[in-house]
Amino acid sequence: MKRKKLPIPLILLVPIVLLLIVVIAGVYRFSLTDEEILAKFPSQQMQSDEVVNQILGLSTPNPWTLQVPETSAFSLLTDIDQVKQVASGRYDNGMERGHVYLLYQFKQEQMEQGVLSKVIVPFAVSNQGSGVFYYLGLFDWDTARQRIILVDSVLLGDRVQVSKVEWKHPIEVRFKQHAAGQAMSESPQKEVTLTCETAKINQLNCQ
């Protein structure tokens, strides 16, 4: 009398089927070229930040942010006026809220081996008060993270009028400030020239 062969248990069939699927998928993968694989997926390009691209001519998805001096708040530059060459953004520091204005018409760039290294740009900060405080900002271009960072700033004054920024050796900033006894509501009349050095890395030394 012949004995009946027992069927292979189902639990043993599962790993065998999975192994066959892996082998077939591997053979199919290596039969395709890289171009054919990429063609099966839609190309997704990172959207370049408009402010950074317009001001620096660089393509990066990282926005231009800067820390508002003497606060822990950061401002995200979202708007740009190409006619006035001013980029702007809001900031919120608890009870204090305001705007930041980047006067990029005066920007000065420093290159290293043909690659952007540092940028000097004056910017203004206004809040709920009547003052508008102007600063000279030193920005560093982080090539690894593809973003622009404010590393140092120097106060120019309240409601000054910047007329020229040159980055030679030293950095020279020309602006008008209010003379002693002059009303702040009037246009500033006193000519001032500020010279700055970047003697230390990422630090402005002005006088």
Side-chain angles (χ1 to χ4, degrees):
M1 184 176 179
K2 295 183 179 180
R3 294 182 180 179
K4 293 182 179 180
K5 294 183 179 180
L6 296 176
I8 299 174
L10 182 60
I11 193 170
L12 295 178
L13 286 175
V14 173
I16 295 175
V17 172
L18 290 177
L19 180 61
L20 289 173
I21 292 174
V22 171
V23 172
I24 294 171
V27 173
Y28 177 73
R29 159 63 182 91
F30 289 107
S31 68
L32 296 175
T33 64
D34 291 339
E35 290 76 11
E36 290 173 329
I37 295 173
L38 291 174
K40 293 179 178 294
F41 298 91
S43 59
Q44 295 181 351
Q45 296 182 349
M46 293 185 299
Q47 186 174 1
S48 177
D49 182 78
E50 181 182 358
V51 174
V52 177
N53 184 265
Q54 179 67 34
I55 298 176
L56 300 178
L58 298 174
S59 180
T60 175
N62 299 314
W64 192 316
T65 62
L66 62 87
Q67 184 172 2
V68 180
E70 302 178 8
T71 75
S72 58
F74 282 83
S75 176
L76 173 65
L77 301 182
T78 55
D79 302 316
I80 191 163
D81 187 329
Q82 298 184 16
V83 176
K84 296 181 179 180
Q85 292 187 301
V86 175
S88 62
R90 299 174 181 270
Y91 76 92
D92 188 339
N93 190 37
M95 297 296 293
E96 179 184 340
R97 297 179 181 179
H99 293 80
V100 173
Y101 303 94
L102 189 77
L103 287 66
Y104 69 88
Q105 62 174 305
F106 300 109
K107 73 178 173 68
Q108 296 288 302
E109 301 176 355
Q110 187 180 72
M111 313 292 286
E112 291 184 3
Q113 298 181 350
V115 179
L116 180 67
S117 174
K118 295 179 180 7
V119 185
I120 281 183
V121 194
F123 63 93
V125 178
S126 68
N127 51 31
Q128 297 98 323
S130 58
V132 180
F133 297 94
Y134 285 75
Y135 298 83
L136 179 66
L138 174 62
F139 296 84
D140 182 70
W141 173 248
D142 188 336
T143 54
R145 298 181 181 180
Q146 292 290 293
R147 63 176 184 174
I148 192 80
I149 305 169
L150 176 66
V151 292
D152 198 15
S153 61
V154 174
L155 178 66
L156 300 178
D158 180 13
R159 282 168 279 187
V160 303
Q161 290 183 353
V162 180
S163 58
K164 190 174 184 180
V165 178
E166 284 186 323
W167 194 348
K168 294 181 179 178
H169 294 286
I171 299 165
E172 188 175 276
V173 185
R174 297 180 184 178
F175 59 94
K176 290 182 179 181
Q177 68 180 17
H178 291 85
Q182 185 182 3
M184 295 300 291
S185 59
E186 299 176 357
S187 298
Q189 300 296 326
K190 184 179 179 180
E191 296 276 358
V192 177
T193 299
L194 183 70
T195 57
C196 302
E197 295 277 3
T198 54
K200 295 182 179 180
I201 297 178
N202 293 339
Q203 186 174 351
L204 289 170
N205 182 16
C206 301
Q207 57 183 9

